[in-house]
Amino acid sequence: MNIATREAYGEALKELVSNENVVVLDADLAKATKSIEFKKVAPERFFDMGISEADMIGTAAGLATCGKIPFATTFAMFGAGRAFEQIRNSVAYPNLNVKIAVTHAGVTVGEDGGSHQAIEDISLMRGIPNMVVINPADAVEAKKAVHAAVEYYGPMYIRFGRAATPVIHNEDYEFKIGKGEVLREGKDVLIVATGIMVSKSLEAAEILSKENIEATVVNISTIKPLDTDLIVSLANKIGKVVTAEEHSIIGGLGSAVAEVLSEQCPTKLKRIGISDMFGQSGTPEALLEYYGLTVNKIVEEVKSIY
């Protein structure tokens, strides 16, 4: 079953309607981001801010000072990019309880092209003090991450996708901020993945197993704070690491893992992601193939390090 994580975001917002402190803001993209689902059930707590992301973040900060829990929603490119200064200075600097919930991240935005494909957003957000950065692997995790965001006090950036992707979790899955998840155990290589690359890593592990290469697959949905204990313990035991993400390899999951390993556990490492280039227009499938965000690429890189 394939479900877009943005769809799960809309469903989660509907489930939060009973919490009167939850408010939702959107930058004229509610139908696309699915925040419109909250408007349907609580129109008095939904605010369309127009095409004005900076204003939206400032307004969300103000609402947070009054005890509200604002979810500020737009496309990832505009949320992390256009509103960066407001996120840094008006939300993170005073450590306000604002959730920046963005959709249409990565190259799977597809035909909208490179101008709308946020592949630097994790890098931008993880560099901001006080910011928690979450990139769910599937719709189940996305919904649980939204619920967890309400219980957590402080700035948070949650990244959702446009394209439908495989659901890998059961409904009883327990999401915890800052904790990685071991999905498969193997002695030969450690694959650390995030977002849509988690399901692809599981597929790759099955192929590798048929060639007598057993992979441990870890889902890192919280990029910051990173589960360093889990990564270091597994890297120490296994000795070979491959990271996979739908994001630039500069500043994203691969960089975060490399930073930890270089300081605590020097290890052979390969990073799969987008290599210092912009996206372009095309179908999601064609773009994933072009940028090497595929099951076959994971298999290839594992073999190269093995």
Side-chain angles (χ1 to χ4, degrees), residues 5 8-9 11-13 15-16 71 134 136-152 156 158 160 169-177 181 221:
T5 51
Y9 173 55
E11 290 300 311
L13 289 179
E15 293 171 358
L16 292 171
F71 282 79
I134 295 178
D138 66 1
V140 171
E141 187 167 58
K143 186 181 287 189
K144 290 180 180 288
V146 174
H147 283 274
V150 172
E151 300 302 319
Y152 172 87
M156 184 178 292
I158 316 175
F160 304 108
H169 291 104
N170 296 321
E171 290 297 333
D172 59 357
Y173 163 62
E174 185 178 356
F175 171 83
K176 292 183 179 180
I177 296 170
E181 174 193 20
S221 53

Side-chain angles (χ1 to χ4, degrees), residues 237-255:
K237 183 167 62 176
I238 298 171
K240 303 176 187 68
V241 181
V242 173
T243 63
E245 61 193 308
E246 187 199 7
H247 184 272
S248 171
I249 59 171
I250 300 171
L253 173 69
S255 286

Side-chain angles (χ1 to χ4, degrees), residues 18-233:
S18 60
N19 187 330
E20 294 184 356
N21 285 323
V22 172
V23 294
V24 176
L25 301 83
D26 201 292
D28 199 39
L29 290 166
K31 289 183 179 179
T33 64
K34 302 305 176 182
S35 68
I36 196 169
E37 297 302 319
F38 188 82
K39 182 180 181 180
K40 292 176 182 177
V41 294
E44 73 284 359
R45 288 189 275 143
F46 177 89
F47 305 95
D48 189 335
M49 304 302 297
I51 306 172
S52 181
E53 282 79 8
D55 183 31
M56 177 178 70
I57 296 298
T59 302
L63 287 164
T65 66
C66 300
K68 299 301 181 183
I69 306 172
F71 282 79
T73 308
T74 184
F75 288 0
M77 186 65 249
F78 309 137
R82 185 179 294 167
F84 177 84
E85 180 189 348
Q86 286 70 31
I87 291 172
R88 180 190 185 276
N89 289 338
S90 297
V91 173
Y93 188 64
N95 198 31
L96 295 179
N97 193 28
V98 176
K99 318 305 172 184
I100 298 102
V102 300
T103 67
H104 293 63
V107 295
T108 46
V109 173
E111 291 84 351
D112 287 357
S115 63
H116 282 53
Q117 292 165 2
I119 54 176
E120 317 88 353
D121 57 314
I122 291 174
S123 176
L124 288 168
M125 292 297 109
R126 67 181 283 260
I128 300 177
N130 293 330
M131 185 64 70
V132 169
V133 180
I134 295 178
N135 187 37
D138 66 1
V140 171
E141 187 167 58
K143 186 181 287 189
K144 290 180 180 288
V146 174
H147 283 274
V150 172
E151 300 302 319
Y152 172 87
Y153 185 91
M156 184 178 292
Y157 181 83
I158 316 175
R159 186 185 205 241
F160 304 108
R162 175 188 189 182
T165 52
V167 174
I168 61 175
H169 291 104
N170 296 321
E171 290 297 333
D172 59 357
Y173 163 62
E174 185 178 356
F175 171 83
K176 292 183 179 180
I177 296 170
K179 295 297 181 182
E181 174 193 20
V182 178
L183 293 169
R184 190 184 193 280
E185 294 186 2
K187 60 181 176 55
D188 298 318
V189 66
L190 169 61
I191 304 174
V192 182
T194 189
I196 67 168
M197 297 304 289
V198 175
S199 62
K200 295 181 186 299
S201 296
L202 288 170
E203 288 185 53
E206 290 300 317
I207 294 171
L208 289 163
S209 181
K210 295 174 183 177
E211 301 183 35
N212 297 315
I213 300 173
E214 298 298 333
T216 289
V217 177
V218 171
N219 167 31
I220 294 291
S221 53
T222 307
I223 310 295
K224 182 188 177 187
L226 191 68
D227 193 343
T228 56
D229 290 343
L230 177 63
I231 291 170
V232 169
S233 65

